[in-house]
Amino acid sequence: MEPVYRTIIGLARTVFFVEGLKFTVKGEENIPARGGAVIAVNHTGYMDFTYAGLPVRTPKRYIRFMAKKEVFDNSISGPIMRALKHIPVDRSAGADSYQAAVEYLRKGELVGVYPEATISRSFEIKDFKSGAARMAIESNVPIIPIVIWGAQRVWTKGFPKRLGRTNTPISIAVGAPIQPYEPAADLTAQLRAAMQEMLLDLQRDYPHEPGAYWVPARLGGSAPTLEEADAMDAAEAEEKAARRAEKDSR
């Protein structure tokens, strides 16, 4: 029993109802009823993690998400994140976060990760980091891919929040478990390919608005291409690094 997590889920469902979000979920049977698993989620918006929790409620389970340490340092969100047993990621001590996640997995928990590491501005599947695969291999648990489509319409990077009653349709698919194997690079490639195919499948039945910011260029939207988005991310990373260097030199 996890009263805090259950309360948060209840509040989230109330918010979803007020917003009029229309969820379509398929593949819930792929969530294991017990035992550890890495839950790999695509990243198009800031609310992805709340929607990813919906399929795992079918077997009444909870996801422990890996999240930036800054979220835990916040006086409001920090106590909630710790109560929900999420995992802080400190980029200056990444090994500690990784080992904490592996221990959770070995204890039979579901650990949520974003293999893309950052929000995809193109809303396509970005290149993956190998962390999800390495954790699955080390803890000997499967990877369960989850793909969400429509979350970027609610709140995404570079655009205003739309947290009112928008009646936005959000599609969620849970893929078949991928058993761990080495090398991690091959497992990562298989995971990315599976999630790309799942994304294409969700998009086939989803109504897309021509020219809309939340629609990929491939589908006639105004979102940047994957290559353009990668260039934007690289430029932003350079700016952040320069600011940190300037701050450290003072």
Side-chain angles (χ1 to χ4, degrees), residues 59-203:
K60 294 183 171 54
R61 300 201 64 184
Y62 303 95
I63 302 176
R64 315 302 178 182
F65 276 97
M66 300 186 75
K68 293 188 296 184
K69 179 178 177 293
E70 290 80 359
V71 179
F72 290 79
D73 292 338
N74 184 278
S75 60
I76 297 175
S77 61
I80 296 173
M81 296 294 283
R82 284 186 286 273
L84 302 183
K85 301 178 184 177
H86 293 316
I87 305 167
V89 177
D90 185 347
R91 293 182 180 178
S92 64
D96 292 343
S97 305
Y98 175 86
Q99 286 304 321
V102 169
E103 287 305 311
Y104 268 50
L105 292 166
R106 287 173 173 166
K107 292 177 182 177
E109 298 276 8
L110 302 178
V111 173
V113 299
Y114 293 122
E116 297 165 286
T118 60
I119 286 177
S120 173
R121 299 175 194 256
S122 68
F123 311 122
E124 304 282 11
I125 302 291
K126 291 166 56 69
D127 286 338
F128 280 8
K129 304 295 185 183
S130 63
R134 291 186 289 109
M135 286 190 292
I137 292 168
E138 186 167 342
S139 54
N140 193 31
V141 301
I143 304 176
I144 311 293
I146 291 183
V147 171
I148 303 168
W149 188 242
Q152 73 274 23
R153 300 178 64 180
V154 177
W155 186 12
T156 194
K157 194 169 189 176
F159 293 93
K161 308 180 189 71
R162 297 176 68 246
L163 302 178
R165 190 168 185 82
T166 61
N167 300 318
T168 301
I170 296 178
S171 301
I172 305 173
V174 184
I178 301 173
Q179 298 303 320
Y181 63 88
E182 296 188 84
D186 289 356
L187 179 57
T188 299
Q190 180 183 349
L191 173 63
R192 184 170 184 266
M195 293 178 70
Q196 283 180 312
E197 184 57 38
M198 291 165 63
L199 178 63
L200 293 175
D201 182 61
L202 287 181
Q203 290 172 336

Side-chain angles (χ1 to χ4, degrees), residues 13-14 22 24-25 54 70 83 118 136 159 171 187 204 207 243:
R13 287 180 179 272
T14 300
K22 302 181 185 302
T24 301
V25 182
L54 293 176
E70 290 80 359
T118 60
F159 293 93
S171 301
L187 179 57
R204 288 187 188 101
R243 288 197 297 269

